[in-house]
C-alpha cells in the first residue's frame, strides 16, 4: 500500500499506477503540497465492503509524510543582475565613445589602439548574449506556466469524465462491455487520451 511504501524509507518506490484513484491523486499524495483527505463511509450493510476498503485506504494514506517546500523562483533577482550588468556596459561604452570622439577631434591626442576597439566589440557581444539569455529564460518561464495551466485543465476534464463513467457503471452493475453505450466508450477513450497527453507533457 502507499502508506507502507512511503514509511519504508527514502527512495522507496510508490506504485501510483496500481489504481485509478492513486494515479489521479499522484500530485496530492507525493507532490510538493499539503493534502487533506476526507473518507466517506456508509453505515448501510450493503456498503460494508466499500466502507471497509475506504477505511483501510485512509488509514494507510495517513502514514504518508510529505515535506512541503515553498516554490521560490529567482526571476526577479536575475532581472536585477541583468539590469545592473547592462547599466555597467552602457557606462563603459559611453566612456569609450567619448575617448574615441576626443581622439578624433584632438590631433595631439593618441589614436585609439586596436585593444580598445576589441574591448568595445567584446562588451557589445557580451551585452547581446546577456539580452538573448534573458529572453530565452523569459520564454521558458512562460512555457512552463502555460504547461502547468494545461495540466490543471486536463486534470479537471479527466475528473469530470471519470465521474460520468462511474455514475453509469453504478447505475448498470454487471453490464457487459457490449452493453456499454457508445457515449460512455467515447468518454473512456477521451479520458485515456487526456491522461496520455498529460504524462507526455510531464516528461
Amino acid at each position: 500500500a502507499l502508506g507502507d511504501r512511503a514509511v519504508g524509507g527514502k527512495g522507496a518506490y510508490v506504485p501510483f499506477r496500481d489504481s485509478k484513484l492513486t494515479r489521479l491523486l499522484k500530485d496530492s499524495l507525493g507532490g510538493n503540497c499539503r493534502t487533506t483527505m476526507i473518507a466517506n463511509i456508509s453505515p448501510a450493510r450493503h456498503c460494508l465492503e466499500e466502507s471497509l476498503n475506504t477505511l483501510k485506504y485512509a488509514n494507510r494514506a495517513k502514514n504518508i509524510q510529505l515535506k512541503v517546500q515553498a516554490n521560490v523562483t529567482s526571476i526577479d533577482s536575475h532581472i536585477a543582475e541583468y539590469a545592473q550588468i547592462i547599466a555597467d556596459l552602457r557606462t563603459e561604452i559611453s566612456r569609450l565613445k567619448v575617448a574615441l570622439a576626443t581622439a578624433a577631434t584632438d590631433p595631439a591626442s593618441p589614436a585609439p589602439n586596436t585593444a580598445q576597439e576589441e574591448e568595445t566589440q567584446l562588451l557589445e557581444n557580451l551585452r547581446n548574449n546577456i539580452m538573448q539569455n534573458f529572453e530565452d529564460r523569459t520564454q521558458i518561464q512562460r512555457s512552463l506556466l502555460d504547461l502547468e495551466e494545461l495540466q490543471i485543465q486536463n486534470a479537471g476534464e479527466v475528473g469530470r469524465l471519470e465521474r460520468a463513467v462511474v455514475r453509469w457503471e453504478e447505475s448498470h452493475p454487471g453490464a457487459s462491455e457490449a452493453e456499454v453505450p457508445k457515449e460512455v466508450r467515447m468518454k473512456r477513450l477521451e479520458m485515456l487520451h487526456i491522461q496520455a497527453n498529460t504524462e507526455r507533457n510531464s516528461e
Side-chain angles (χ1 to χ4, degrees), residues 6 35 38 41 45-46 55 59-60 63 82 92 106-107 109 120 124 126 129 162 168 181 191:
T35 302
I38 300 176
I41 60 176
R45 179 176 297 178
H46 64 275
L55 290 174
N59 184 59
R60 293 177 182 274
N63 294 327
Y82 292 151
E92 183 67 18
D106 187 5
S109 61
T120 302
E124 185 66 22
L126 180 60
N129 292 336
E162 180 77 14
W168 187 91
M191 183 172 58

Side-chain angles (χ1 to χ4, degrees), residues 44-64:
R45 179 176 297 178
H46 64 275
C47 296
L48 175 62
E49 183 178 356
E50 289 79 2
S51 298
L52 181 60
N53 291 334
T54 300
L55 290 174
K56 288 181 179 180
Y57 181 83
N59 184 59
R60 293 177 182 274
K62 74 178 183 179
N63 294 327
I64 301 175

Side-chain angles (χ1 to χ4, degrees), residues 69-116:
Q69 297 179 353
N71 295 323
V72 180
T73 57
S74 58
I75 296 179
D76 294 336
S77 62
H78 287 309
I79 293 176
E81 293 176 1
Y82 292 151
Q84 183 61 37
I85 293 174
I86 292 172
D88 295 340
L89 292 176
R90 287 177 177 174
T91 302
E92 183 67 18
I93 291 173
S94 299
R95 184 185 65 81
L96 293 175
K97 286 182 178 180
V98 171
L100 290 174
T102 303
T105 55
D106 187 5
S109 61
N113 53 31
T114 305
Q116 290 179 335

